[in-house]
Amino acid sequence: MNTVDTVSKTVVINRDVLSEKKRRAAELRQQFTERGILVVNLVSSPGSGKTSLLEATAKCWQGQHKMAVLVGDLATERDAERLRPLVPVEQLTTGGACHLELSLVEKGLAKLPLDDVEFLFIENIGNLVCPASHDLAEHLRVSVLSTTEGDDKPGKYPKMYRTSDALVITKTDLLPYVPFSTEDAIADARTIQPELSAFELCSLTGDGVSQWCDFLVQARRRTVCIPAA
Amino acid sequence: MHEKSLVQSLLKQVEAIMREHHAVSVQAVTVEIGPLSGVESLLVEDAFSELLLNSQIGRPSLNIQAVDLTIRCRDCEQASSSPGLTLKCQLCGSNKVQITHGDEFRLMDVSLQIPAESENSVT
């Protein structure tokens, strides 16, 4: 049996474990920026109303702005089926994984028509922990929080709120019936991320939806290269 | 449980380092995990043990170094350590702070076993 004389050697690396994925995400984000597409990553716990928010956004913009959606789910195409009559949509089924990764997003993008699209939404898996660690090439990360959840949630999931650019509080029509303070929730989130933009709305009635949509239009003007008309 | 996917990324990097240095095995991998990284050390250890079974890097030990949370205040411009997970300047009380350490999951170093003859050929 051949034996090889070996020696020990320690190689110093000191590098972010996700550095390669972050580099790929930054490249893809730059491509979206140059194409004039604002990418918005919606994150929340399950049932906060992400799909309803996207339906309300599509209805608000009908004929004005073109959007497309990548929908992440563990199983089923139910959310994609809800959105398909309104906007181009591609389902990303993770088969149980608790978050979306860039490779899944890239796979979905290959099938999604993006001609003339101004806004691409990524509806992430309902989970306030794991999606916070993954850059999906978004320009904006938006946390969605419903009034049926605790208004102390931001402080309990600090990384998600710290890495978010905006907070959308949904289901405001239920405020008379639930012990939820929108002021407390926004204040809690801003102790973690002082520059967080905040919106209160009801996707079913449409209350507050136009302010959210205006915010996105302004964010697109500020963030991406708008192609000349 | 996203630690599995993070550890997959970690092992890919270690495999690349192993190839680069023509190593015959990896003896130890050291990572740094901050309290605000969203990464749980115990789950990283579990994922590391599980994923090693399908890896080419042998059976290295995993050393996890904990990192203190430190912040820099945007108002008073001072740096301070933050007890617990509080994101508030310990000197002036402002919450306009930037995290300088504590949200990282970093590969720090890798201990390799390399052929003696190639030690001088790899810089």
Side-chain angles (χ1 to χ4, degrees), chain A residues 5 7 9 13 17 101 159, chain B residues 5 13 37 108 110 112 114 116:
Chain A
D5 285 340
V7 293
K9 177 178 182 175
I13 308 296
V17 168
E101 292 209 16
K159 184 164 186 183
Chain B
S5 118
Q13 290 191 39
S37 63
M108 299 308 291
V110 180
L112 304 170
I114 60 171

Side-chain angles (χ1 to χ4, degrees), chain A residues 42-46 48 50 98-99 124-133 141-146 149-150 152-164 167, chain B residues 2 38:
Chain A
L42 295 182
V43 292
S44 78
S45 50
S48 64
K50 293 187 294 298
C98 52
H99 62 281
N124 217 311
I125 304 295
N127 177 344
L128 280 172
V129 181
C130 308
S133 294
R141 184 173 291 178
V142 177
S143 287
V144 181
L145 175 64
S146 65
E149 303 170 60
D152 61 345
K153 207 165 215 177
K156 293 163 74 177
Y157 298 90
K159 184 164 186 183
M160 184 57 85
Y161 288 88
R162 186 166 52 73
T163 59
S164 289
L167 166 65
Chain B
H2 65 137

Side-chain angles (χ1 to χ4, degrees), chain A residues 7-19:
Chain A
V7 293
S8 295
K9 177 178 182 175
T10 297
V11 183
V12 177
I13 308 296
N14 195 3
R15 183 168 65 206
D16 186 339
V17 168
L18 290 178
S19 55

Side-chain angles (χ1 to χ4, degrees), chain A residues 100-116:
Chain A
L100 290 178
E101 292 209 16
L102 189 64
S103 51
L104 264 174
V105 168
E106 287 171 324
K107 200 172 160 187
L109 284 171
K111 299 180 191 166
L112 191 63
L114 290 176
D115 290 345
D116 304 326

Side-chain angles (χ1 to χ4, degrees), chain A residues 4-21 98-99 101 127 129-131 133-134 158-159 162 190-192 194-195, chain B residues 1-2 5-6 9-10 13 17 21 24 27 36-38 74 87 95-96 99 103 105-117 119 122:
Chain A
V4 178
D5 285 340
T6 59
V7 293
S8 295
K9 177 178 182 175
T10 297
V11 183
V12 177
I13 308 296
N14 195 3
R15 183 168 65 206
D16 186 339
V17 168
L18 290 178
S19 55
E20 172 55 22
K21 288 183 179 176
C98 52
H99 62 281
E101 292 209 16
N127 177 344
V129 181
C130 308
S133 294
H134 297 273
K159 184 164 186 183
R162 186 166 52 73
R190 284 188 174 146
T191 61
I192 302 162
E195 284 145 29
Chain B
M1 200 292 224
H2 65 137
S5 118
L6 299 175
S9 297
L10 172 70
Q13 290 191 39
I17 293 160
H21 291 269
V24 294
Q27 293 175 310
L36 279 183
S37 63
R74 288 179 183 152
L87 294 177
N95 64 357
K96 291 181 181 167
I99 295 166
D103 61 352
F105 179 33
R106 298 182 75 81
L107 171 58
M108 299 308 291
D109 60 57
V110 180
S111 293
L112 304 170
Q113 201 67 23
I114 60 171
E117 61 199 35
E119 187 190 18
V122 179

Side-chain angles (χ1 to χ4, degrees), chain A residues 8-213:
Chain A
S8 295
K9 177 178 182 175
T10 297
V11 183
V12 177
I13 308 296
N14 195 3
R15 183 168 65 206
D16 186 339
V17 168
L18 290 178
S19 55
E20 172 55 22
K21 288 183 179 176
K22 286 178 180 171
R23 186 192 63 74
R24 276 172 45 215
E27 273 181 15
L28 186 58
R29 183 166 30 252
Q30 182 59 28
Q31 290 172 25
F32 283 125
T33 301
E34 288 165 9
R35 291 180 67 174
I37 301 172
L38 186 84
V39 183
V40 183
N41 182 6
L42 295 182
V43 292
S44 78
S45 50
S48 64
K50 293 187 294 298
T51 311
S52 296
L53 176 63
L54 289 169
E55 286 175 320
T57 305
K59 285 173 188 164
C60 179
W61 276 343
Q62 221 155 26
Q64 287 183 291
H65 296 288
K66 194 167 173 195
M67 59 182 266
V69 184
L70 290 172
V71 182
D73 264 313
L74 275 71
T76 84
E77 288 225 357
R78 288 173 194 168
D79 290 349
E81 283 163 8
R82 279 173 57 184
L83 292 164
R84 203 160 275 134
L86 298 167
V87 293
V89 56
E90 189 62 37
Q91 177 79 47
L92 310 174
T93 307
T94 66
C98 52
H99 62 281
L100 290 178
E101 292 209 16
L102 189 64
S103 51
L104 264 174
V105 168
E106 287 171 324
K107 200 172 160 187
L109 284 171
K111 299 180 191 166
L112 191 63
L114 290 176
D115 290 345
D116 304 326
V117 162
E118 299 164 88
F119 299 89
L120 171 66
F121 292 90
I122 302 169
E123 183 181 335
N124 217 311
I125 304 295
N127 177 344
L128 280 172
V129 181
C130 308
S133 294
H134 297 273
D135 185 344
L136 301 184
E138 70 264 32
H139 295 100
L140 290 180
R141 184 173 291 178
V142 177
S143 287
V144 181
L145 175 64
S146 65
T147 59
T148 54
E149 303 170 60
D151 51 24
D152 61 345
K153 207 165 215 177
K156 293 163 74 177
Y157 298 90
K159 184 164 186 183
M160 184 57 85
Y161 288 88
R162 186 166 52 73
T163 59
S164 289
D165 304 285
L167 166 65
V168 176
I169 297 176
T170 58
K171 308 185 188 180
T172 52
D173 55 329
L174 298 179
L175 279 170
Y177 315 106
V178 291
F180 186 98
S181 160
T182 54
E183 293 81 9
D184 288 353
I186 293 168
D188 196 31
R190 284 188 174 146
T191 61
I192 302 162
Q193 214 286 53
E195 284 145 29
L196 199 72
S197 301
F199 302 90
E200 302 169 35
L201 56 82
C202 174
S203 299
L204 294 185
T205 64
D207 282 350
V209 173
S210 62
Q211 286 93 327
W212 154 247
C213 289

